Structure formats: C-alpha cells, structure tokens
Amino acid sequence: MGVLLLALGVFCACNGAQTTVGERASRYLGELVRIDTSNPPGNETRVARWLERIAKEEDIPYELLGADPERLNFVARLRGTGKQRALLLMAHTDVVPADAARWSVPPFAGEVREGWLWGRGAIDDKALLAAHLAVMVELKRRAVKLERDIILLGEADEESGSTGIQWLRENAWSSIDAEFALTEGGFIAEMPSGRRIYHVQTCEKIPTRAILRAHGTSGHGSLPLRDNPVVTLSRAITRLAETEQPVRLNNITRRYFVALSKIEEYRWLAPLLPRLGRQQTAMMAAHAIGERDPQLEAQLRTSISPTMLQAGVRINVIPGTAEAHLDIRRLPDETAEEVMARLRRAIHDSTLEVLPAPGQTMPAAKPSSSDSRLYKRMEEVLLKASPGALVTPYMQAGATDGAFLRERGVDVYGVPLFLRESGRGRAHGDDERISIAAMEAGTELLYGIVLAAGR
C-alpha cells in the first residue's frame, strides 16, 4: 500500500524547493525537445551527451554505446540486490522531421502554452524518456532498495532503421539484458463516462514493406501505348484497394475486444463478436466495426497502404518503369511470404513485379505475458490510481523496437502512462504536444509501477 501511495505524491528537495517527480519530468522534457534529433540524420549523440550530464550530476553509472559516434545510445544502471532480473526502461532519442511552416510554434522551442508543452517529440518519444529519467533520478536520490537492477536505455534510430537496438542486441546485450522492459506503445483512453481504459501493449503488427514495379515501353507522351507502366501500376493498386484482407483474431485481440464490449461506450461491439468468429460473416462484422472505429478494425487484419509513387522524368515522356511503395502492417501470426503471395494473387498480373522493399525488417515474436509479475504489479498501480478502470493487453497497429527484445525472450510492455487527448497534435503530426498535467500524472504512475515491480 505504501508503494502505491508513494506514486501519487513523490517529491525531492532541489535547491530548497519541493519538486515532484512529475515536475522534474516536465522540465526534462522541455530540455529534450529543444535538442533537434530529427531522423534523418538523427544526431542522437546530442541527447546522449545531455543524458550523460544528468547522470554525472546524480552519480548514476552510465555508458555511451554504438558504432556511429554521431548516433550513440545511452545506457544507465541502478544496482539492486540481484534477487530478481533487471527491469529495462526504454525510450528512443530520435524524432521524425518537422516542417516548421506547418506549425503554430517553432517545433524545437519546447514552448509551454496554456498548460501544454509543444514540440516535435513531445509525445513520440521524449515524454517517455523524460519520465524514465525522472524516475531513475528519484530512485537514486531516495536510495531506494530494490530487488532488481533498473536500466535506462536512450535508444538511437528507432524512427527509420532500428540500427541502435540492433547494434546493442548484437554487441552489448549484457548492458540491456532484462526480464522485463517498459517502452512506448501503451496509452490511456478516457470515456465520456469518465471511466479510463489503460491499454498495455503486449504485441504489435509487423511492418512488411513492398514495392510494385511495372515495366513498359518508353516513348513519346503522344503515343497511346498499350503497355504504359503507369496504367499497369494504377490497375494493380486499384485491385489491391478492392481486395479484402482476411479477418483474423488472435488471443490478444480476442481478449481485448471482449473486454471492450463490456464497457458502456462499446456495448455495440457485443453482437458483432460472434460474427467475427464465423468465416461467412467476419468481413461484414469488420466493416461494421470500421465504420464506428477504424482503429479497432486495423487490429482485425493486415493493412496495405500505397504511400509513394515513382514514375517518369517529363510530362511528355512515357516512362519505362513505374513503382508504388506499400506500407504493409501484417498480423503477427501471418508470415511475410503469406502476405506477398496474397498480393500477387490480388494483382493477377505476371508482368508486374512484387518485391520486398529494402530496409529494416522486424522480427515476429510471441506476445508478452499478461500473467507476469510485472503485468500484475502494473495492473495494481493503475487500478489504485483509477478505481473501476479497465486494464487490458492490446495489439498495437503500429510497431516499436520492442519486437527486437521480445525475440530475445524479454517481456516488453507498452506502458500506459499518458492520456490520449483527442483533437490535439499527435505523434508525427503538426503541432505535436502534451499537457503538463498528463506528463506529470503519467510520470508519477511510472514511479509507482517501477517501485512495485522492483520490490
């Protein structure tokens, strides 16, 4: 009980003032947002050096690790008794680029307006990094005795190539080896009734990018060529858009949908669930769900989105080739080969190539356990903070670098710390921002979870 209550109001003496762990995290976040680590090129060492300064001030042991001196990972460790294996607090230090012309404020100013902190990375993922750091500093200042080591990882290059976590996994595994990891991917949803849903990410869909390449005869734009590759490619994309991907529930999504259907705002799901389980009615049920909530439908099947087109050099020249890049997010119980074979059947054109796109490939790993010690402790803390809330495992439609750890046997959880506030700038969007209240409350939740898990 004392551990849980402590999470609701921790503070330390800093230059004579009382500063809560949440207030410290908000201050850290402002400083982190002001460090431009847009990827590309990343330059994540800038954040690693900032973290190094804090670690030195707090006398926390740390390492800077990586192959590229401009893109170093930061790893710090507080030693426990060793009775239990380590807990890894993981967040990435890079951010996606921001077009300043589309923002209401400079994206790297870390400006606070009317209780909101604005800036690229304010949600993805520097808020979590700031919370992790604030919690580690709190543990160190209080000299908290824990049964497991607490490791903080500031990871480079999550947004494009995952080179940071892959390098660590292959070259410095002992520095991050842990029983559990807390990372991005979880979130809090608040219903109109005021009831909260804590989404604990325990698995995720897998990016499986592909290229469609059509070939034809290059010539003058005035010629009505029958094998114009732009036309061939357009037909293929249309066929894909019109082809339904199969509906499949797994253990996590089935449990999640059942749990949601018992909440007042999602009662409409209940009659659709039996239909999802029958082949004859699954497609219609998925459509009905998508009309009400597209994010729920995204968990029911592999998604295929054409995102980039490449063809031609001049308006009056028919190109010899045309390409479309597809962002595919496949269900974790499907293989890449199954999805690619399905694409070829849908396109039904032997003259058009269907190729895997170069770049990172993420491993398919089994879901993290919802019966583990950490999950149970997390559930206790969240329900103490919000009596009557729903705490549920769920599958994220996006992807994180947690998959690389799950493949090595680490139970990884997208920890639900921050309230998803509708109508505000979201991750990767213009005017990205987080409310100070949500930042501070989420950090205090994290402190309670780490304390409960470490004792």
Side-chain angles (χ1 to χ4, degrees):
M1 179 66 72
V3 167
L4 301 180
L5 291 176
L6 196 56
L8 303 179
V10 294
F11 66 89
C12 71
C14 302
N15 299 323
Q18 291 184 350
T19 303
T20 68
V21 68
E23 289 169 345
R24 184 186 309 119
S26 292
R27 176 169 58 83
Y28 286 162
L29 178 59
E31 295 183 34
L32 284 166
V33 165
R34 295 181 194 108
I35 304 172
D36 184 352
T37 49
S38 299
N39 186 5
N43 291 321
E44 295 93 334
T45 296
R46 295 172 179 173
V47 167
R49 293 296 183 191
W50 182 88
L51 292 166
E52 177 184 44
R53 176 175 63 80
I54 302 296
K56 285 181 176 179
E57 290 174 357
E58 302 295 339
D59 194 27
I60 297 173
Y62 70 92
E63 301 174 274
L64 299 182
L65 301 169
D68 185 343
E70 300 301 321
R71 312 198 70 178
L72 294 176
N73 304 282
F74 174 89
V75 181
R77 182 185 294 261
L78 293 179
R79 294 286 181 183
T81 65
K83 186 176 180 180
Q84 300 179 58
R85 290 181 60 207
L87 169 63
L88 177 67
L89 308 179
M90 174 180 172
H92 61 87
T93 56
D94 61 327
V95 299
V96 296
D99 181 355
R102 297 177 58 88
W103 281 60
S104 303
V105 301
F108 297 101
E111 185 173 327
V112 175
R113 286 188 180 183
E114 298 179 347
W116 292 76
L117 194 152
W118 298 55
R120 175 59 84 222
I123 298 174
D124 186 11
D125 186 31
K126 289 180 176 178
L128 185 58
L129 179 61
H132 283 335
L133 178 62
V135 166
M136 176 168 271
V137 168
E138 189 72 22
L139 294 171
K140 180 63 168 62
R141 290 183 178 183
R142 287 176 169 267
V144 176
K145 301 299 182 185
L146 300 171
E147 293 184 351
R148 63 173 87 237
D149 290 4
I150 306 298
I151 306 170
L152 170 61
L153 168 59
E155 169 216 356
D157 194 32
E158 189 271 349
E159 293 289 4
S160 64
S162 297
T163 57
I165 192 64
Q166 292 188 77
W167 188 93
L168 289 166
R169 196 177 68 159
E170 299 304 319
N171 298 280
W173 180 247
S174 61
S175 294
I176 61 170
D177 185 15
E179 181 179 9
F180 303 116
L182 296 178
T183 187
E184 63 179 328
F187 69 96
I188 307 168
E190 189 165 82
M191 299 295 98
S193 63
R195 188 177 186 184
R196 289 192 166 191
I197 305 174
Y198 289 92
H199 293 72
V200 183
Q201 190 253 70
T202 58
C203 70
E204 54 197 68
K205 294 173 82 173
I206 305 166
T208 311
R209 278 62 186 262
I211 295 174
L212 306 183
R213 182 176 297 149
H215 298 274
T217 303
S218 178
H220 197 281
S222 64
L223 298 176
L225 296 177
R226 296 180 181 275
D227 63 344
N228 186 321
V230 175
V231 175
T232 302
L233 183 65
S234 300
R235 289 172 180 155
I237 293 173
T238 300
R239 290 192 190 108
L240 281 182
E242 294 173 345
T243 301
E244 297 274 14
Q245 298 301 307
V247 175
R248 297 169 65 163
L249 286 169
N250 57 41
N251 290 338
I252 300 299
T253 52
R254 184 176 292 107
R255 175 175 171 178
Y256 176 63
F257 275 72
V258 169
L260 278 189
S261 70
K262 296 176 181 178
I263 293 177
E264 181 63 33
E265 289 85 353
Y266 287 97
R267 298 281 186 191
W268 56 269
L269 267 177
L272 294 171
L273 295 184
R275 295 167 60 189
L276 281 176
R278 294 193 293 267
Q279 185 175 359
Q280 313 91 294
T281 57
M283 289 291 187
M284 291 181 62
H287 278 300
I289 290 170
E291 289 175 359
R292 298 285 295 267
D293 192 329
Q295 292 187 18
L296 288 182
E297 186 185 13
Q299 297 187 51
L300 294 173
R301 51 178 145 202
T302 292
S303 62
I304 302 172
S305 298
T307 55
M308 297 172 63
L309 299 172
Q310 296 176 354
V313 292
R314 290 180 61 87
I315 194 169
N316 61 348
V317 177
I318 296 173
T321 61
E323 288 187 357
H325 290 233
L326 308 179
D327 185 4
I328 302 169
R329 303 300 174 112
R330 79 177 195 267
L331 295 174
D333 55 355
E334 287 189 318
T335 67
E337 291 73 23
E338 286 177 309
V339 173
M340 297 293 276
R342 206 157 60 230
L343 290 185
R344 293 186 178 96
R345 288 195 300 270
I347 292 168
H348 193 59
D349 186 343
S350 60
T351 69
L352 191 144
E353 295 180 276
V354 182
L355 307 167
Q360 75 180 79
T361 57
M362 288 190 170
K366 68 177 184 178
S368 301
S369 172
S370 55
D371 293 316
S372 70
R373 175 186 175 92
L374 176 58
Y375 189 95
K376 296 300 184 185
R377 296 295 180 271
M378 187 162 32
E379 191 172 42
E380 290 171 5
V381 172
L382 297 175
L383 290 175
K384 180 67 178 180
S386 300
L390 170 64
V391 180
T392 177
Y394 94 111
M395 181 182 73
Q396 185 184 14
T400 74
D401 279 351
F404 293 100
L405 299 179
R406 285 193 180 102
E407 190 183 40
R408 291 291 293 264
V410 181
D411 272 330
V412 182
Y413 301 98
V415 58
L417 300 180
F418 308 120
L419 182 64
R420 179 173 285 181
E421 295 161 293
S422 62
R424 305 290 184 173
R426 292 190 176 181
H428 291 202
D430 299 331
D431 288 343
E432 182 180 350
R433 57 200 186 272
I434 187 171
S435 75
I436 298 296
M439 182 69 204
E440 294 182 0
T443 304
E444 290 171 355
L445 280 177
L446 178 65
Y447 187 74
I449 291 168
V450 174
L451 278 179
R455 290 179 164 175

